[in-house]
Amino acid sequence: MAEILLLIDRDENRRLLVEWLSNRHEVTSAIDESDPERSPDLCIMDRVSLERHATRLAKRKTAAEPVFLPYLLVVSQQHLGEISSEIWSQIDAVVQEGVDELITAPVKKTELHGRIENLLRTREFSVDLRDRNDELRTLNHINAVIRTVNGALVTAVTREEIEREVCEQLANAPPYRFAWIGEPAVTGRTVEPRTAAGVESGYLDAPIPVEMDGEPTGTALTAGESRFVRPTETTAAWAEAALDREYRSIAAIPLVYGETVYGVLGVYSDRTEAFGGEERTVLDELGRTIGHAINAAESKMALVADTVTELRFGFADTPEPLIALSEEGYEVSLEGTVSDEHGDVLEFYAIEGDTEAALDRLSSSPAVESARVVTDGTDAALVELRLAESLLAEFADQGATVESLLVSEGACRLVATLPQSVAVKAVIEGILANHPDGELRARRQVERSGTNRQAFRAVLEADLTERQREVLQTAYLSGFFGWPRESTGEEIAESLGITPSTLHQHLRVAERKLLDAFFDRDDQSDT
């Protein structure tokens, strides 16, 4: 039943119209001043009422957009001759979108019925189109949010990181205003917050009991199923607190994997009509996805005692001189790195192909500060490079260790590891922000291998000074300890920017400490 607002000045005309229309429609005779945005389905008025209520009618018309709000003007037969462009200009001036239909009085019931049905049908189409567009926008929006959240779950490793990503992504996506994840407290009587994002404003300060018919997150945990609630529909204290923070709709979704409930996700919107049918389905699926991700993260942490995070990257243009070399058929692989006394990185690469041509190409690149062949083997040459901008140095600055780097056929593949203490997400974001050509291709937890070897290296590195270690590693990578020697002491000293005598002093001390560590001797006298 449509609502018709009847604004007719003459009592008898108004009475007759009310009598005719009331059989099929709900008829009102006054503008609802309590809700300025509320509009009827049709307004029938005469010229006197049009002039009297012009401002309010214009506001109603504007507020209804983009929905069609029809205005039907009744003009008496005796004034029909006065209808001119001047009168229509007057009508358009007082009603923003103008009067939509005009009918003369005395009104014929069949004509009035036809006009009204046509206008109401047009409005119905308009409302239906609005609703369909709103639903489509909502679904597109929520699906985009969920895709973003799922993408974050793929790269998250720990439970804390998973939960933080979920809450941040949801809280930053209008119309969502606040999101948090909680779990049952030790007592089992309340929901204990684990992480939150968005406009919380002390909402979680009050204990949330795990019970039916309470705050939705506690109810969802008790029932083991999602709850979608509008605080306006209850007078509970939590609802008043929610409305104070403009939470007009609340979704509470259990985080479930198998028979295990890891907690509950609360999502709060400032829209009363949020969390429609399809949106509920998507959020339910998100709850199961989060539960699965938490299970996987905790299972990995339980099974792996000593782990690091392994990151696998692909780069299309970085490092530029090595990419350019590989496009000419060369294959380049990292052998090791050291830092000189200025903190610049010396990088050692095995290069397969014409060594002389490769060195000429690298030396001519503005991105290469220095290049020299350490040894020219049968299968590959060992080349020492000092690059103007070192990708390896960037990883080192982030606390990551580059385990391997291979450049072939115009692409670079790099594997790096990070200890558990490093913020993995920050490392990934930092590298990709500096190198838009990069792509994170894999992320996983891997077990450290060679524990005894690592322990031995830890003891040795703790005893060596940083400079002694750098000199020893540079000499090793440069083939100084080979026979015949692939690099002289003078060449290595020049690369490091020190004198040959200083080089040999550092080497003798480092060699002594290496042997002391190997033979487990504590009576070291060199420094």
Side-chain angles (χ1 to χ4, degrees):
M1 181 178 290
E3 179 184 351
I4 295 179
L5 174 62
L6 196 60
L7 299 178
I8 302 298
D9 184 62
R10 297 189 61 177
D11 294 341
E12 181 62 19
N13 291 342
R14 184 170 62 253
R15 184 188 66 78
L16 289 174
L17 285 172
V18 168
E19 182 179 326
W20 289 355
L21 296 173
S22 296
N23 294 329
R24 299 187 180 188
H25 307 287
E26 179 183 346
V27 181
T28 59
S29 299
I31 298 176
D32 184 0
E33 299 291 353
S34 63
D35 187 356
E37 296 186 358
R38 183 174 179 274
S39 63
D41 297 302
L42 168 66
C43 179
I44 302 176
M45 68 197 83
D46 57 18
R47 289 183 57 188
V48 175
S49 296
L50 172 63
E51 295 173 358
R52 180 183 302 154
H53 302 293
T55 301
R56 284 178 288 182
L57 289 172
K59 289 182 178 179
R60 285 298 195 284
K61 194 94 168 179
T62 301
E65 295 177 348
V67 173
F68 173 59
L69 173 56
Y71 286 169
L72 175 61
L73 178 65
V74 179
V75 180
S76 66
Q77 189 70 38
Q78 66 186 41
H79 292 134
L80 185 61
E82 300 177 12
I83 298 298
S84 63
S85 59
E86 180 181 346
I87 292 179
W88 281 112
S89 298
Q90 177 187 5
I91 292 172
D92 285 340
V94 295
V95 181
Q96 183 176 354
E97 296 296 332
V99 171
D100 303 288
E101 284 277 5
L102 182 144
I103 192 170
T104 59
V107 177
K108 297 179 180 179
K109 294 177 64 175
T110 54
E111 183 182 0
L112 177 63
H113 174 71
R115 296 285 186 89
I116 289 176
E117 291 305 313
N118 284 336
L119 289 172
L120 290 178
R121 191 177 301 111
T122 303
R123 176 174 171 80
E124 184 179 352
F125 289 154
S126 174
V127 171
D128 183 61
L129 180 61
R130 187 272 316 271
D131 292 343
R132 289 176 180 272
N133 287 337
D134 286 347
E135 182 180 2
L136 181 60
R137 280 193 295 268
T138 298
L139 289 179
N140 287 338
H141 175 74
I142 183 61
N143 284 326
V145 172
I146 298 305
R147 282 196 300 271
T148 303
V149 171
N150 285 336
L153 290 180
V154 170
T155 58
V157 175
T158 65
R159 176 173 182 174
E160 289 74 17
E161 191 174 359
I162 291 169
E163 293 173 337
R164 183 176 63 254
E165 285 290 341
V166 168
C167 291
E168 288 179 355
Q169 294 291 346
L170 289 173
N172 290 331
Y176 303 147
R177 184 172 176 82
F178 171 51
W180 69 289
I181 288 177
E183 63 181 356
V186 176
T187 61
R189 299 174 183 173
T190 59
V191 185
E192 182 176 329
R194 288 179 55 86
T195 187
V199 183
E200 187 262 342
S201 302
Y203 182 77
L204 299 178
D205 291 346
I208 296 178
V210 178
E211 61 183 21
M212 295 297 293
D213 302 324
E215 211 277 349
T217 51
T219 302
L221 272 180
T222 302
E225 58 185 30
S226 299
R227 289 288 185 265
F228 301 93
V229 178
R230 295 176 181 173
T232 53
E233 298 174 352
T234 178
T235 58
W238 66 263
E240 182 179 350
L243 292 173
D244 287 344
R245 293 161 178 81
E246 299 184 23
Y247 306 154
R248 296 187 176 90
S249 297
I250 301 176
I253 303 98
L255 309 180
V256 180
Y257 179 75
E259 300 297 323
T260 304
V261 179
Y262 287 99
V264 62
L265 167 66
V267 185
Y268 298 68
S269 172
D270 57 8
R271 282 189 352 197
T272 304
E273 70 279 7
F275 310 122
E278 186 65 24
E279 194 170 351
R280 295 184 180 189
T281 302
V282 174
L283 287 172
D284 277 334
E285 181 61 30
L286 176 63
R288 290 189 289 271
T289 302
I290 297 171
H292 184 276
I294 292 174
N295 175 266
E298 293 194 341
S299 297
K300 288 178 182 177
M301 296 305 293
L303 292 174
V304 182
D306 189 14
T307 62
V308 293
T309 301
E310 180 185 270
L311 304 177
R312 292 180 177 267
F313 288 90
F315 295 92
D317 302 317
T318 309
E320 186 275 329
L322 300 184
I323 293 289
L325 198 63
S326 73
E327 290 174 342
E328 297 183 2
Y330 291 88
E331 184 169 286
V332 185
S333 59
L334 178 68
E335 293 294 315
T337 63
V338 293
S339 299
D340 64 15
E341 62 182 354
H342 303 295
D344 296 330
V345 177
L346 292 177
E347 304 177 13
F348 294 82
Y349 293 95
I351 300 179
E352 297 180 9
D354 186 337
T355 305
E356 185 177 350
L359 188 64
D360 289 342
R361 178 63 185 265
L362 290 169
S363 299
S364 64
S365 171
V368 178
E369 295 183 349
S370 66
R372 77 179 182 95
V373 176
V374 175
T375 178
D376 191 358
T378 304
D379 299 323
L382 183 64
V383 177
E384 175 197 282
L385 296 179
R386 190 194 303 269
L387 301 178
E389 295 183 0
S390 173
L391 177 64
L392 306 182
E394 290 186 43
F395 275 90
D397 291 342
Q398 298 274 9
T401 301
V402 175
E403 302 292 346
S404 67
L405 182 150
L406 178 65
V407 185
S408 177
E409 298 179 349
C412 171
R413 299 191 297 275
L414 182 148
V415 178
T417 57
L418 295 87
Q420 294 294 320
S421 58
V422 174
V424 180
K425 180 184 176 184
V427 173
I428 296 172
E429 291 178 347
I431 294 296
L432 296 183
N434 292 333
H435 300 280
D437 63 304
E439 175 189 9
L440 178 65
R441 295 179 175 174
R443 171 179 174 174
R444 61 174 183 157
Q445 298 292 101
V446 297
E447 187 174 0
R448 296 181 188 271
S449 59
T451 304
N452 292 335
R453 180 184 176 188
Q454 288 180 6
F456 174 77
R457 290 183 60 181
V459 171
L460 181 61
E461 289 182 353
D463 194 39
L464 288 171
T465 67
E466 183 177 353
R467 193 56 175 158
Q468 290 165 359
R469 186 189 64 79
E470 291 171 354
V471 171
L472 186 63
Q473 187 176 9
T474 304
Y476 172 75
L477 291 171
S478 299
F480 180 78
F481 299 106
W483 186 261
R485 284 179 173 171
E486 298 165 351
S487 295
T488 66
E490 288 74 13
E491 290 173 327
I492 298 171
E494 183 180 355
S495 293
L496 293 172
I498 59 178
T499 64
S501 60
T502 301
L503 170 77
H504 288 292
Q505 179 186 356
H506 284 314
L507 284 178
R508 287 294 300 273
V509 174
E511 289 168 352
R512 176 60 184 270
K513 291 182 177 182
L514 173 62
L515 293 172
D516 284 338
F518 182 78
F519 291 111
D520 197 21
R521 291 187 56 184
D522 297 326
D523 55 339
Q524 303 170 12
S525 57
D526 295 309
T527 59

